[in-house]
């Protein structure tokens, strides 16, 4: 092994909007805005390429989007559909490698340095994946192929939509040299402005600065800029192992008898569960109460909500309402537990939050 890695970044094209145009033919060719509602406060979750031509982009207030394109068609987001398409895509990725790191529902890094097909060409794999995604979902994806994550991510954007761009190791430095600083992934508008003020417009300019100088201006991130200006990025592709559920339970030496006792315990459990969900950056749609009677008869009661929850007061409310449907008070209780399943990572949940009225949505 030469030690050179082969990383692919796959990014679906205008994902949510493309799914809507696929499923509703009358939306094809039209400026489609997913999420938000015309004339209402809200935030755009996604925009079709036709809508982007009017300057509409995700996370923009719907009112502003409507102003930019009064004839835009607003449609509600269907996250269940997006999630299931995301699952189909993931299945395809896993045919090639277990080293799949999803960034969101429509983007992932794959490390195909060694792959299940024994295919030495990451470019061929990337194109095969794109065509299989299209066969399976009728949706297009773009791909970037490079020796590391940073470059693969930048590359997938270059020939978007429905394109691929490859940066072989020998082209890394020349590629970075000509790259405008604003195109560097991780350099936002504010940093771009500061770089310009410092006379840094391209990767070549960035590479001329010393590490010390960059750290002085940008703190710790300066060290990262120093490295990426040389095409170095050692971050590994970290596959997420999907957790199925998070739960807490407690068994009691003395059976619980009163509703107050049970409510008190459920409150404590809900608080602990919130702590664990937060720690794992998770929230879930299904809340399950587990309960064991003194004769070891064990039952569960599950309830699936419309949205993802993690807060203790919500978990408690669902659990206590289940408890009231059981024979807990009649038979007494030896064990209580609450579990949350149907989980979602918090960075995915952000997309769901785009749905919230603007007042709650603007915190990120
Ligand atoms: Mg995308």
């Amino acid at each position: 092994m030469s030690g050179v890695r082969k990383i692919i970044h796959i990014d679906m094209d205008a994902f949510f909007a493309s799914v809507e145009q696929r499923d509703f033919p009358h939306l094809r060719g039209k400026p489609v805005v997913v999420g938000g509602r015309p004339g209402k406060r809200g935030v755009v979750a996604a925009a079709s390429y036709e809508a982007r031509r009017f300057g509409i982009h995700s996370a923009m207030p719907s009112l502003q989007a409507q102003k930019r394109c009064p004839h835009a068609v607003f449609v509600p987001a269907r996250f269940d559909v997006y999630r299931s398409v995301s699952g189909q895509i993931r299945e395809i990725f896993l045919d090639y490698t277990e080293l799949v790191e999803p960034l969101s529902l429509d983007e992932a890094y794959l490390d195909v340095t060694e792959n299940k097909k024994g295919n030495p060409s990451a470019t061929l794999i990337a194109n095969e994946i794109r065509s299989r995604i299209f066969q399976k979902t009728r949706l297009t994806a773009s791909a970037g192929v490079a020796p590391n994550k940073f470059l693969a991510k930048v590359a997938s954007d270059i020939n978007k939509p429905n394109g691929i761009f490859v940066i072989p190791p020998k082209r890394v430095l020349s590629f970075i040299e000509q790259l405008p600083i604003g195109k560097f992934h991780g350099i936002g508008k504010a940093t771009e402005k500061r770089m310009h003020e410092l006379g840094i417009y391209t990767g070549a300019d960035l590479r001329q600065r010393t590490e010390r100088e960059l750290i002085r201006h940008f703190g710790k991130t300066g060290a990262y800029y120093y490295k990426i200006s040389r095409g170095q990025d050692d971050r590994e592709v970290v596959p997420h192992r999907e957790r199925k559920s998070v739960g807490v339970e407690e068994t009691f030496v003395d059976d619980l008898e009163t509703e107050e006792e049970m409510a008190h315990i459920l409150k404590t459990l809900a608080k602990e569960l919130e702590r664990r969900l937060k720690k794992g950056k998770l929230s879930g749609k299904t809340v399950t109460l587990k309960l064991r009677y003194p004769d070891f008869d064990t039952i569960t009661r599950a309830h699936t909500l419309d949205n993802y929850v993690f807060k203790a007061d919500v978990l408690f409310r669902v659990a206590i309402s289940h408890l009231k449907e059981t024979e807990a008070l009649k038979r007494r209780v030896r064990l209580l537990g609450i579990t949350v399943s149907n989980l979602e990572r918090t960075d995915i949940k952000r997309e769901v939050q785009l749905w919230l009225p603007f007042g709650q949505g603007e915190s990120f």
Side-chain angles (χ1 to χ4, degrees):
M1 278 303 299
S2 59
V4 173
R5 292 182 300 156
K6 293 173 185 173
I7 310 295
I8 301 174
H9 178 252
I10 298 273
D11 187 9
M12 299 298 289
D13 302 321
F15 183 48
F16 301 168
S18 302
V19 172
E20 297 307 319
Q21 289 179 321
R22 175 194 74 176
D23 294 351
F24 302 101
H26 69 275
L27 297 175
R28 292 178 196 164
K30 296 214 176 106
V32 175
V33 176
V34 180
R37 276 172 298 169
K40 292 268 165 69
R41 285 159 80 84
V43 175
V44 173
S48 71
Y49 284 100
E50 294 86 353
R52 291 180 191 193
R53 259 173 238 136
F54 292 88
I56 298 175
H57 53 79
S58 58
M60 171 184 275
S62 339
L63 288 173
Q64 197 183 337
Q66 206 192 358
K67 222 176 270 169
R68 293 202 176 179
C69 178
H71 63 285
V73 189
F74 284 74
V75 298
R78 297 179 299 148
F79 285 102
D80 288 345
V81 179
Y82 311 148
R83 255 190 295 279
S84 96
V85 177
S86 187
Q88 292 178 312
I89 296 164
R90 193 178 153 77
E91 289 295 309
I92 295 172
F93 296 159
L94 291 172
D95 265 355
Y96 296 83
T97 175
E98 292 295 320
L99 293 177
V100 175
E101 179 180 342
L103 296 176
S104 62
L105 290 178
D106 76 318
E107 258 183 82
Y109 289 116
L110 286 70
D111 184 334
V112 296
T113 315
E114 288 177 42
N115 58 77
K116 295 180 186 177
K117 306 276 183 189
N119 188 339
S121 167
T123 308
L124 289 181
I125 291 177
N127 272 330
E128 195 174 300
I129 287 176
R130 293 196 319 115
S131 93
R132 282 185 63 191
I133 288 176
F134 187 75
Q135 281 165 22
K136 183 89 191 168
T137 69
R138 297 282 128 194
L139 297 165
T140 62
S142 297
V145 182
N148 63 46
K149 285 162 97 172
F150 165 72
L151 290 165
K153 171 104 180 166
V154 174
S156 70
D157 212 34
I158 290 180
N159 285 324
K160 221 171 200 330
N162 198 14
I164 181 169
F165 190 81
V166 181
I167 307 173
K170 62 173 188 285
R171 301 235 184 279
V172 166
L173 286 182
S174 59
F175 174 81
I176 289 174
E177 275 171 8
Q178 54 72 45
L179 195 65
I181 213 72
K183 292 263 184 203
F184 277 70
H185 177 58
I187 297 188
K189 282 266 170 276
T191 309
E192 182 184 13
K193 200 169 156 247
R194 286 198 56 205
M195 292 253 182
H196 286 176
E197 283 161 10
L198 294 168
I200 302 170
Y201 293 91
T202 64
D205 298 336
L206 186 62
R207 187 138 50 104
Q208 279 168 16
R209 307 305 167 112
T210 64
E211 184 172 18
R212 184 186 249 186
E213 191 182 353
L214 291 172
I215 290 174
R216 182 153 49 82
H217 288 294
F218 301 101
K220 254 195 241 159
T221 331
Y224 170 72
Y225 298 149
Y226 181 82
K227 286 189 101 178
I228 58 173
S229 75
R230 281 156 182 76
Q232 298 162 1
D233 175 12
D234 309 326
R235 290 174 303 154
E236 283 181 30
V237 173
V238 185
H240 293 293
R241 253 172 231 114
E242 299 273 337
R243 279 190 81 171
K244 295 268 186 267
S245 67
V246 181
V248 289
E249 61 178 50
E250 202 178 330
T251 310
F252 313 103
V253 183
D254 301 311
D255 300 334
L256 303 183
E257 285 182 34
T258 68
E259 193 177 332
E260 288 73 44
E261 284 174 324
M262 296 176 201
H264 175 74
I265 295 293
L266 286 178
K267 239 176 220 165
T268 315
L269 290 173
K271 270 187 200 146
E272 172 60 16
L273 190 49
E274 173 181 328
R275 198 189 61 79
R276 290 193 196 179
L277 287 164
K278 272 187 180 160
K279 200 172 152 215
K281 296 195 171 69
L282 294 165
S283 58
K285 272 187 166 181
T286 304
V287 182
T288 304
L289 172 76
K290 181 175 169 189
L291 180 157
R292 182 170 296 147
Y293 298 114
D295 59 5
F296 285 92
D297 196 4
T298 307
I299 61 162
T300 56
R301 293 280 178 274
H303 182 73
T304 298
L305 301 149
D306 284 341
N307 41 18
Y308 290 86
V309 297
F310 66 94
K311 286 210 150 69
D313 57 337
V314 181
L315 302 174
F316 170 73
R317 261 206 313 277
V318 177
I320 194 89
S321 71
H322 285 322
L323 186 79
K324 289 179 177 163
E325 295 160 9
T326 67
E327 298 172 71
L329 288 176
K330 224 171 19 186
R331 293 169 66 177
R332 294 183 304 177
V333 168
R334 164 151 303 181
L335 172 151
L336 279 176
I338 312 174
T339 298
V340 174
S341 53
N342 227 326
L343 296 175
E344 187 154 80
R345 295 208 335 274
T346 308
D347 55 344
I348 294 174
K349 200 178 106 264
R350 280 157 141 214
E351 288 165 354
V352 180
Q353 284 176 342
L354 291 175
W355 257 117
L356 296 172
F358 196 46
Q360 292 173 59
E362 67 191 348
S363 58
F364 64 89

